[in-house]
Amino acid sequence: MSEQSYEPGMGVLSTFGRQLKLFRVAAGLERPEFGAMTGYSASTIAAFEQARRIPSPKFIDQADELLNAGGVLKAGKDEVARAQYPAFFRDAARLEAEAVELHVYANHGVPGLLQTADYAQAVFAMWRPLLEEEVVEQRVAARMARHEIYSRRPRPTISFVIEESMLGRPLGGRRVLRGQLEQVLVIGQYRNVEIQVMPIGREDHAGMAGPFTMIETKEERRIAYVEAHKDSRLYTERKAVREFEEQYGVLRAQALTPRESLTLVEKYLGET
């Protein structure tokens, strides 16, 4: 495996892959036969066993039962799921998946929770140093899996403040941008989601320090997450979190209302 495609968390995948192979061989199954039973090709089974692809939770459940693994494979399901994210995002991903409130300010690109698969593919394909194709595929799948938050019950409260400039930035091309704008409009109609746009022409702007995310847990803890250049930090100390809360509150007041924002998105869509 190349240096570019290796990162912390691969050890979890290697362990799972070895266990999967051991149980498959013990069951007397060749890869094509086992693949047919689970709906995957022999090459995909090989990729799972060699830690080149990340198996879905559904596959892990299937494999555990079909191979009579006695819960051994299922026991590593959560760790395998976390391994699909870059190391710097794993703690935030866990908190995000369980959040009762999530508030996101983004100024570089459309936030991951709003991205289409095509937009995410374009973002990761532009990454430098270049990511291996299989890593890009894993990152896109992981980003799309995060969208499960919208179907969770009870529904979390989610809001976004995004910069107007990203509505016209054609990452991946005009077709990709059009699909992305359509997705913003769809998600913006969800009853538990509010999307606000910060107009380019605003003279006052409270977000000049960069993007961040506010997370409230089911234990009523408020946490701020800040990510920059393959590094990240979770702020839990109340004074620091309060500063982010104040900043986000001012940003929402300075941005367009949710209705005005979706109208602006529609305008960009019509021009794309």
Side-chain angles (χ1 to χ4, degrees):
M1 182 173 294
S2 73
E3 181 180 350
Q4 287 177 326
S5 63
Y6 178 83
E7 54 184 65
M10 288 299 184
V12 171
L13 298 180
S14 296
T15 298
F16 176 85
R18 287 194 297 270
Q19 291 175 333
L20 177 64
K21 183 177 180 179
L22 286 170
F23 281 116
R24 177 181 60 77
V25 171
L29 297 171
E30 296 294 330
R31 283 172 179 160
E33 184 181 2
F34 179 55
M37 295 168 68
T38 57
Y40 291 90
S41 66
S43 61
T44 298
I45 299 300
F48 290 158
E49 293 180 351
Q50 296 163 10
R52 292 184 289 106
R53 287 189 62 177
I54 298 174
S56 68
K58 180 181 178 181
F59 170 82
I60 295 174
D61 288 339
Q62 278 184 304
D64 195 280
E65 294 172 9
L66 291 171
L67 300 177
N68 295 316
V72 173
L73 297 178
K74 287 183 180 180
K77 187 163 60 174
D78 290 344
E79 287 298 321
V80 169
R82 279 194 286 273
Q84 66 188 324
Y85 299 109
F88 61 81
F89 185 66
R90 285 181 194 137
D91 287 339
R94 175 180 54 81
L95 291 167
E96 177 185 274
E98 301 173 354
V100 296
E101 286 190 28
L102 200 64
H103 307 288
V104 182
Y105 167 60
N107 63 355
H108 296 313
V110 174
L113 283 176
L114 293 176
Q115 289 181 9
T116 63
D118 287 341
Y119 189 96
Q121 175 79 26
V123 169
F124 290 127
M126 295 175 191
W127 204 278
R128 293 297 186 274
L130 285 171
L131 299 174
E132 298 289 347
E133 291 297 329
E134 60 203 33
V135 175
V136 172
E137 182 181 344
Q138 290 171 1
R139 296 277 179 90
V140 172
R143 185 152 290 183
M144 294 305 99
R146 290 170 58 198
H147 291 198
E148 293 177 4
I149 193 171
Y150 296 118
S151 58
R152 264 183 39 206
R153 295 293 185 273
R155 294 181 181 181
T157 298
I158 305 174
S159 72
F160 300 90
V161 176
I162 62 177
E163 294 293 327
E164 179 183 351
S165 58
M166 64 184 67
L167 300 180
R169 184 174 296 143
L171 297 182
R174 292 288 172 184
R175 179 189 63 80
V176 172
L177 177 60
R178 183 172 183 82
Q180 181 58 71
L181 294 175
E182 289 172 346
Q183 171 131 312
V184 170
L185 289 173
V186 169
I187 295 178
Q189 298 294 331
Y190 294 170
R191 291 196 303 132
N192 62 320
V193 176
E194 289 188 334
I195 299 174
Q196 292 179 251
V197 175
M198 178 67 76
I200 292 173
R202 281 289 189 264
E203 295 183 359
D204 298 309
H205 196 307
M208 299 307 292
F212 61 91
T213 299
M214 299 294 306
I215 303 168
E216 180 161 342
T217 70
K218 55 188 175 183
E219 295 81 20
E220 299 184 351
R221 294 176 60 216
R222 289 210 163 186
I223 298 168
Y225 172 72
V226 180
E227 178 183 312
H229 193 61
K230 299 183 182 180
D231 196 8
S232 65
R233 182 172 177 183
L234 289 168
Y235 292 84
T236 57
E237 197 272 324
R238 186 60 195 144
K239 181 178 183 296
V241 173
R242 189 181 296 115
E243 291 175 356
F244 284 104
E245 289 175 339
E246 178 182 353
Q247 187 176 351
Y248 193 73
V250 176
L251 279 168
R252 294 197 72 176
Q254 293 170 335
L256 298 175
T257 68
R259 180 170 295 182
E260 292 169 339
S261 297
L262 294 185
T263 297
L264 182 60
V265 175
E266 289 176 340
K267 176 177 178 292
Y268 273 91
L269 179 59
E271 297 171 352
T272 300

